[in-house]
Amino acid sequence: MGIIDVLIVEDDPMVVEVNQGFVNAVPGFKVVGVARTGKEAVRLAARLKPALTLLDVYLPDMSGLAALQEIRRLGLPTDVMLVTAAQDAETIKNAFRYGAVDYIIKPFKFNRLRSALENFAFLYNRLNKKAQLEQDDIDRLARRRAVAATEETAEGMPKGLNEVTLKQVLLLLIKEEASLSAEEVAAALGLARVTARRYLEYLYQLGKVTVELQYGSVGYREVNVLSDSFVELQNRVIQRGLCTACGTCAGICIAGAIGWGYKDNEPLPELIGSCTGCGLCTIICPGEEVNIPLLEQFVFGRVREEKIPDLGVYRYARAGCAVDRDIRKHGASGGLVTALLIYALEKGLVDCALVAGYRPDQPWRTEAKLAVTRQQLLAAAQSKYACVPVSALLNRAYKEGYRRLAVVGLPCQIHGLRKMQYHGQPAYLSRAVVLTVGLFCASQFYFEGTYHLLVEHLKVEKLEDITSLNYRDGDWPGHLTVELKDGRKLLLDRHQYMYHHLMPAYKRDRCEMCVDWSAELADLSVGDYWRPRVREKRDLVGVSSCLVRTPAGEELLEGAEKSGYVETISLKADSLAAGIGYELKKHAAAFRLRQRRHFGWPVPNYYLEINSKPFPRELHLAPERGQQL
């Protein structure tokens, strides 16, 4: 049979996008319209004549049940499936009384909706195949519905347990910060202790909770509510040491169920809400796998040429900096990225940028920021040498009304964004990210490295005494500066703290397995240009190197230059391999991946073999302070 047209009736735009993606993912179905009110639902049902309507109960102008009644009164040829958070018995009873073919309670798993659609397709196609049905045909259809209902409700649940109470137990555990014993669950929900224990043991068998043994009178306690997709993410990525802390899983979670906790002062994803089991966090996570050739074909329409040095797919290379002296002063290496973002904001190319900044309550710690003004961009300028899960703000940016997002990210963050766009889910975020500016990245570093610098090198007694911290402050190439409450300003030379401390001792382990140095999937990739210094009058200024990769990146750079925001010069791309970052990623990390695979250690899969053979080339490092004068 042909495609089954579907009308979605839902007033929440984010839920619309998710439901639309789910429906379109089921073969044989296509969303042909979206209504956000009851009146619009009736009007579109009459005009589009969809075979199926997915209807919410809670609509801004009338109840979904009232809309269903009006559809029936008008005799419109559409079947209706309720997809709603309403779960009171009266609403459910009336829905079926008015002719609903199914009732799905939010939040739901994709498998539940897919099963409902597939069953509907079976019945719809059979009923439309014959002009007249015999009793045997009707009996077969009835048996199909009975079997489907059994499959959907049983799901292997032990006798004596029911789904409603199971959800109540899960919600209780999710809401509590501390772990709960069977006795505490029983008291909170009014259950017998043995009944509460049966539910907890069943949840443990499903992998939705873990058990913490405590010796003594308390016994064991149930902790760490995990669920479906997040369990898979935990098992495949987080617990195997493959998480890049990019933030993508939290940023794309439509349920807002993933947040960030800290282990040894390092960010890790954690479940903070109820997982719907959609699977997106694991699918889009760049920690375990990034199919670079596939994504290159998706982004650029071609894959890279085999050449040395390997910088991925690009159009041309430039070196440049901001024209505005204030922006140049604030930037780590000429302020090129900051100037480009200011241009994009002021010209309306984007309405928000996701960037890295510092926490106002703990100014020595980094955090992701939404920047929508020139001043906010200037405040977020310069490199940060501690993890910032920038992509975690994707959903927040969308909820705050921003629809044209720029993301400034490290290679792993760009990987996550491109995987999101490749899969087209969530669709609203895939469309909202219109610009990716990738940063060259030799490695990110554990905050523990910064902590040791502060205490051992700068003699900071308490972190709480710090009022500001910058990793690239002052004249290029910028140095670690710390301001204290007593008015003192401390400085540590970048060459010393980077090449003699952070880089040899505190590189993040996952970074040592990454083979992307120059943000190879970004629209525009930018990094320090470490060739001999540039002087302007008597001030030392930095210059950024830039690889233009896509039409969007080209439009940004050329537009900013024509408008007087930046100035650039032509650059030979091969000269970029002179930086230490190329050696760390394209040679050392590529070799390390082979070694780890040989011993069976967990490693990411990039679907790409990197040529790590040495070749003669220039080598440049950031100069020490004495070399600048």
Side-chain angles (χ1 to χ4, degrees), residues 49 114 159 176 178 241 320 410 452 457 495 514 538 595:
K49 295 181 174 56
R114 180 175 60 187
K159 187 177 180 180
E176 293 293 328
L410 303 179
H452 280 249
H457 292 258
H495 185 100
C514 175
R538 295 186 62 183
Q595 286 289 297

Side-chain angles (χ1 to χ4, degrees), residues 192-209:
R193 183 168 61 87
V194 66
T195 302
R197 187 175 297 279
R198 287 191 66 205
Y199 278 102
L200 291 166
E201 289 174 349
Y202 179 58
L203 290 170
Y204 175 68
Q205 293 171 8
L206 295 177
K208 294 177 181 288
V209 302

Side-chain angles (χ1 to χ4, degrees), residues 311-529:
L311 299 171
V313 178
Y314 62 91
R315 297 183 167 209
Y316 53 84
R318 306 287 289 178
C321 58
V323 171
D324 185 286
R325 292 286 300 174
D326 189 43
I327 298 175
R328 292 186 80 173
K329 179 180 177 182
H330 278 83
S333 189
L336 182 64
V337 171
T338 304
L340 291 173
L341 292 175
I342 290 174
Y343 163 76
L345 272 177
E346 293 182 348
K347 299 300 181 181
L349 301 180
V350 303
D351 55 11
C352 178
L354 280 64
V355 295
Y358 292 95
R359 291 179 53 171
D361 59 329
Q362 296 181 10
W364 58 91
R365 295 306 306 262
T366 55
E367 73 171 0
K369 300 277 190 180
L370 298 182
V372 296
T373 68
R374 177 190 179 99
Q375 285 307 119
Q376 289 172 340
L377 287 172
L378 287 172
Q382 300 184 6
S383 305
K384 314 295 187 297
Y385 295 135
C387 266
V388 190
V390 168
S391 296
L393 296 186
L394 287 168
N395 255 324
R396 176 183 152 191
Y398 194 89
K399 287 180 179 179
E400 292 187 10
Y402 302 112
R403 296 295 182 268
R404 296 183 61 78
L405 307 179
V407 182
V408 181
L410 303 179
C412 56
Q413 288 159 339
I414 306 300
H415 295 166
L417 295 173
R418 292 310 195 193
K419 288 186 72 174
M420 175 186 75
Q421 292 175 326
Y422 173 79
H423 289 285
Q425 295 293 334
Y428 63 95
L429 290 178
S430 298
R431 291 195 300 266
V433 176
V434 298
L435 179 66
T436 57
V437 178
L439 304 176
F440 292 8
C441 180
S443 179
Q444 191 49 280
F445 305 95
Y446 293 117
F447 176 75
E448 187 73 6
T450 298
Y451 182 41
H452 280 249
L453 286 172
L454 295 172
V455 175
E456 297 172 355
H457 292 258
L458 295 178
K459 314 302 180 187
V460 174
E461 296 182 3
K462 295 188 300 182
L463 295 180
E464 292 74 13
D465 291 335
I466 297 173
T467 59
S468 75
L469 181 149
N470 288 287
Y471 288 96
R472 300 283 298 272
D473 198 22
D475 291 339
W476 184 85
H479 308 286
L480 177 64
T481 62
V482 176
E483 295 185 14
L484 304 177
K485 291 178 179 178
D486 62 11
R488 286 183 296 152
K489 184 172 182 177
L490 311 177
L491 182 146
L492 187 60
D493 176 70
R494 184 186 185 280
H495 185 100
Q496 292 297 321
Y497 82 73
M498 178 56 68
Y499 300 126
H500 299 285
H501 182 85
L502 290 182
M503 200 164 281
Y506 289 100
K507 292 194 296 293
R508 284 176 58 88
D509 187 67
R510 177 59 178 80
C511 295
E512 299 215 83
M513 295 182 274
C514 175
V515 296
D516 186 351
W517 166 62
S518 59
E520 294 166 0
L521 296 175
D523 293 308
L524 194 75
S525 302
V526 181
D528 284 291
Y529 189 48

Side-chain angles (χ1 to χ4, degrees), residues 93-276:
K93 181 173 64 176
N94 286 331
F96 287 113
R97 181 178 294 156
Y98 301 150
V101 298
D102 206 339
Y103 198 105
I104 300 176
I105 296 174
K106 302 176 186 175
F108 57 87
K109 298 178 182 178
F110 170 62
N111 287 343
R112 174 63 177 88
L113 179 61
R114 180 175 60 187
S115 175
L117 294 177
E118 289 173 347
N119 288 325
F120 175 82
F122 177 84
L123 298 173
Y124 177 83
N125 290 331
R126 285 299 179 91
L127 289 172
N128 284 278
K129 189 174 183 180
K130 294 184 178 181
Q132 187 173 341
L133 276 73
E134 303 295 334
Q135 185 64 50
D136 287 346
D137 296 318
I138 297 172
D139 291 344
R140 278 195 294 271
L141 293 177
R143 283 195 296 272
R144 167 80 184 203
R145 295 194 69 169
V147 170
T150 303
E151 289 173 347
E152 290 164 8
T153 56
E155 295 185 348
M157 190 171 291
K159 187 177 180 180
L161 304 187
N162 66 77
E163 190 173 358
V164 173
T165 305
L166 188 71
K167 286 185 177 180
Q168 289 176 336
V169 174
L170 266 176
L171 288 172
L172 175 66
L173 292 173
I174 289 169
K175 291 176 182 177
E176 293 293 328
E177 293 184 3
S179 57
L180 297 178
S181 67
E183 290 82 358
E184 290 168 326
V185 171
L189 298 179
L191 303 173
R193 183 168 61 87
V194 66
T195 302
R197 187 175 297 279
R198 287 191 66 205
Y199 278 102
L200 291 166
E201 289 174 349
Y202 179 58
L203 290 170
Y204 175 68
Q205 293 171 8
L206 295 177
K208 294 177 181 288
V209 302
T210 58
V211 174
E212 181 184 77
L213 293 176
Q214 295 185 349
Y215 298 96
S217 59
V218 177
Y220 72 87
R221 295 165 66 90
E222 289 70 30
V223 297
N224 297 340
V225 181
L226 307 175
S227 180
D228 306 311
S229 302
F230 192 78
V231 169
E232 189 176 10
L233 187 70
Q234 279 271 37
N235 294 338
R236 289 173 53 179
V237 180
I238 301 170
Q239 295 302 330
R240 297 175 68 218
L242 297 178
C243 176
T244 67
C246 66
T248 309
C249 58
I252 65 167
C253 180
I254 188 65
I258 302 178
W260 287 88
Y262 283 84
K263 177 72 173 177
D264 295 330
N265 276 322
E266 291 302 311
L268 278 178
E270 63 179 7
L271 197 67
I272 60 173
S274 181
C275 175
T276 64

